Amino acid sequence: MNEEEIMLRVDCEEHRIIVDTRTTLLDALRERLGNTSPKKGCDHGQCGACTVLLDGRRANSCLALAVAHDGAEIVTAEALAENGDLHPMQRSFIEHDGYQCGYCTPGQIVSAVGMLDEVEAGWPSHVTGDVSAEKISLSDAEIRERMSGNLCRCGAYANIVPAIREVADERARR
Amino acid sequence: MKPYHYQRARDIPGAVAALAEQPNGKYLAGGTNLVDLMKLEIMTPDMLVDVRRLTSDRIEETEDGGVRIGAAVTNSDLAADRTIRSCYPVLSQALVSGASGQLRNLATTGGNLLQRTRCVYFYDTTTPCNKREPGSGCSAIDGHNKDHAILGASERCVATHPSDMAVAMTALEAFVNVHGPDGERRIPIEELHRPPGDEPERDTTLEHGELITAVDLPPLAFASNSKYRKVRERASYAFALVSVAAALDVEDGTVRDVRLALGGVAHKPWRATKAEEALRGEQANEANFRAAADIELEDAEPLRDNAFKVPLARNIITRALLELSEER
């Protein structure tokens, strides 16, 4: 049998499971561990609904094989809230009405959280005028470009961008 | 997905030995393209040898003043590297113009070089495709071919290579370090990918079992004056219709040296050597840039739907060179 035992730390909880080598992280999370926060949209890395933080970085869990990430630390949107208090990004999506059907939302929120860390680390994007610049100034164009891996077929982008903008501005003030 | 055996190796020689024994095995790194192709059963390996944690994930300066990029360095780490951003901006720009933030966090340097074409017929298993099924025919030659090659194609295949990163590396004359069953070798990147010819199923000149371990960028002073321009059908997260990687060295209005490579036009990143030769020693102005682009594109053989790529390539070459000559 093509099976392997792996350990995953999901939302701060350790799990040991035996998986078929074909199992993606997304299927391991949803089907084996009952964590349905990351969603299966396209299952081909095109829509971003499955986005999780994988060892601290946003990634498409549908294209990551579970066996290849034995020992990984995974954070889903579900664990962003602390002690019942929503994460600022989650609150901001509610305040700005940054969704309609909600299916892409957990992926959008995790992706936005990972994206702001990338900005803080000074990573350039396709719309960054000078890639050698020390600091990134997070314009709306930067947010749109950096979030292009998350599709919303309801088209809530007009509210998603301000939702992220508010959290980014709050972070910058701190 | 077809069942397969998953294997980790202790070290690089162990991985190479494991794969050498498995004619239908593949190396796995980030998996962003391979896993997708396996889901679609376009690729059906019976063994995966995981090399993501075996090759280096570091970017280091080399003795000659260049840079060595470990094969496991992710696309996002490479794009964000300070040395790359200031000394080889074309590479950083090429990387951030490709894929999405999530994909760049998974995708590796070695894997990016070895990604397969995004030709729609290669992906559509109900249609003939010589690359997917040798001898079955090419559906693109007389089909929908707006995305396809205008240079260096063959009667068997008109697919293009999808990588942006590789186009920048081609302009920078990178070397690809490979570890195989017969030892190590260092390949000029121009010799890594191959024209389709009679064997479009072979994307590269690598032999079975050869593993990319690192990419070397030689020192190139004027690479600090370089850029990547990409035209695609939407503003973000799409493959190139045409792209150009350019580096320019101008002194007193004269082109001392220039590097040009094109993406989206051929089965491999296309080094525009004819245009480069035409420009060396000439005045750096729009008319000369345009004339040089035309010389390169004289050999273009557009298909039914992609004649637009010829003027598009000419325009973005000219524009990139103009910007590089003005920004200095």
Side-chain angles (χ1 to χ4, degrees):
Chain A
M1 284 300 286
N2 293 307
E3 290 182 337
E4 292 266 333
E5 184 178 348
I6 59 164
M7 190 279 280
L8 297 174
R9 243 178 99 76
V10 181
D11 297 342
C12 300
E13 214 174 292
E14 211 174 289
H15 300 271
R16 281 192 178 279
I17 48 172
I18 292 170
V19 293
D20 185 300
T21 55
R22 293 171 290 183
T23 310
T24 61
L25 266 185
L26 177 62
D27 286 340
L29 290 168
R30 290 181 59 88
E31 309 295 335
R32 300 295 305 281
L33 302 177
N35 185 330
T36 53
S37 171
K39 300 291 185 281
K40 186 177 281 195
C42 68
D43 209 24
H44 290 286
Q46 296 169 3
C47 77
C50 67
T51 303
V52 298
L53 296 181
L54 174 58
D55 295 322
R57 290 183 172 188
R58 57 180 174 154
N60 304 93
S61 60
C62 75
L63 290 182
L65 293 173
V67 279
H69 294 276
D70 181 24
E73 172 91 43
I74 293 156
V75 176
T76 71
E78 198 162 288
L80 289 176
E82 275 181 44
N83 307 322
D85 290 332
L86 292 180
H87 185 279
M89 192 64 79
Q90 293 170 317
R91 268 204 314 271
S92 196
F93 266 69
I94 293 171
E95 277 161 22
H96 288 271
D97 209 5
Y99 47 81
Q100 186 173 316
C101 81
Y103 197 75
C104 72
T105 311
Q108 297 273 4
I109 288 175
V110 172
S111 184
V113 168
M115 181 274 280
L116 291 186
D117 287 343
E118 295 168 7
V119 171
E120 203 163 285
W123 291 12
S125 87
H126 173 61
V127 299
T128 308
D130 175 8
V131 289
S132 68
E134 280 293 316
K135 268 189 82 80
I136 302 300
S137 128
L138 194 67
S139 61
D140 284 359
E142 283 277 5
I143 293 176
R144 289 195 192 95
E145 163 60 27
R146 290 168 189 268
M147 291 296 293
S148 71
N150 290 85
L151 305 188
C152 169
R153 292 295 79 160
C154 301
Y157 302 113
N159 294 346
I160 291 172
V161 174
I164 298 171
R165 151 114 280 128
E166 186 173 311
V167 179
D169 290 349
E170 252 171 55
R171 259 173 83 147
R173 275 196 295 273
R174 267 191 281 132
Chain B
M1 207 188 293
K2 294 267 199 300
Y4 59 86
H5 179 66
Y6 170 86
Q7 191 166 333
R8 276 183 214 96
R10 191 166 300 168
D11 51 22
I12 290 171
V16 170
L19 198 71
E21 289 168 13
Q22 293 285 334
N24 194 27
K26 287 280 170 201
Y27 291 123
L28 171 73
T32 52
N33 188 214
L34 178 60
V35 173
D36 191 27
L37 291 167
M38 287 167 62
K39 285 185 181 187
L40 297 163
E41 297 191 358
I42 292 164
M43 291 177 76
T44 52
D46 47 31
M47 181 169 86
L48 291 185
V49 179
D50 193 343
V51 295
R52 188 171 60 97
R53 295 183 234 207
L54 290 186
T55 54
S56 165
D57 61 358
R58 296 176 59 183
I59 302 164
E60 295 167 305
E61 277 188 37
T62 52
E63 276 177 20
D64 65 356
V67 175
R68 169 162 288 191
I69 304 157
V73 172
T74 64
N75 288 181
S76 41
D77 280 326
L78 185 55
D81 183 80
R82 289 284 166 194
T83 306
I84 300 297
R85 285 158 70 179
S86 52
C87 301
Y88 306 95
V90 62
L91 179 55
S92 189
Q93 290 173 4
L95 283 157
V96 294
S97 79
S100 67
Q102 291 98 312
L103 288 170
R104 290 192 294 269
N105 280 340
L106 286 171
T108 65
T109 305
N112 186 313
L113 288 174
L114 299 183
Q115 63 180 305
R116 311 294 310 270
T117 184
R118 296 316 196 278
C119 171
V120 290
Y121 299 104
F122 178 68
Y123 270 78
D124 181 355
T125 52
T126 65
T127 59
C129 169
N130 284 325
K131 187 180 276 299
R132 177 167 33 77
E133 207 182 316
S136 63
C138 173
S139 302
I141 284 185
D142 296 314
H144 297 284
N145 46 35
K146 75 170 168 52
D147 295 321
H148 292 75
I150 54 170
L151 288 163
S154 76
E155 286 172 4
R156 303 270 179 100
C157 182
V158 292
T160 58
H161 194 267
S163 171
D164 294 297
M165 182 194 80
V167 177
M169 287 178 171
T170 298
L172 296 170
E173 290 188 346
F175 288 87
V176 179
N177 295 280
V178 168
H179 195 121
D182 300 323
E184 295 173 56
R185 63 188 183 117
R186 196 163 178 260
I187 312 166
I189 192 163
E190 262 213 86
E191 292 167 24
L192 175 68
H193 299 101
R194 55 185 295 285
D198 290 338
E199 289 178 297
E201 67 275 19
R202 288 182 59 210
D203 295 347
T204 72
T205 56
L206 295 184
E207 298 296 334
H208 179 73
E210 284 191 312
L211 173 67
I212 294 176
T213 55
V215 174
D216 294 339
L217 302 180
L220 184 71
F222 71 93
S224 60
N225 189 42
S226 66
K227 69 165 49 192
Y228 192 72
R229 282 197 79 99
K230 173 175 176 176
V231 178
R232 44 188 159 174
E233 288 183 318
R234 56 184 186 223
S236 184
Y237 200 12
F239 290 95
L241 290 168
V242 181
S243 66
V244 61
L248 185 65
D249 184 9
V250 177
E251 197 173 73
D252 300 329
T254 302
V255 176
R256 277 219 310 209
D257 207 353
V258 59
R259 296 281 182 83
L260 283 171
L262 298 170
V265 297
H267 196 255
K268 56 185 285 188
W270 189 265
R271 178 81 182 270
T273 45
K274 288 181 183 172
E276 290 179 9
E277 276 165 33
L279 278 172
R280 285 192 193 97
E282 297 297 319
Q283 289 292 302
N285 60 40
E286 183 173 345
N288 284 342
F289 295 152
R290 195 166 288 276
D294 280 335
I295 289 169
E296 189 67 44
L297 294 162
E298 262 171 22
D299 300 332
E301 291 181 278
L303 303 161
R304 187 191 73 192
D305 300 335
N306 68 2
F308 71 92
K309 285 192 176 186
V310 178
L312 186 55
R314 180 200 305 128
N315 289 348
I316 66 167
I317 291 170
T318 308
R319 177 79 171 271
L321 291 172
L322 262 181
E323 287 171 354
L324 288 173
S325 57
E326 284 161 4
E327 279 165 19
R328 292 187 74 257

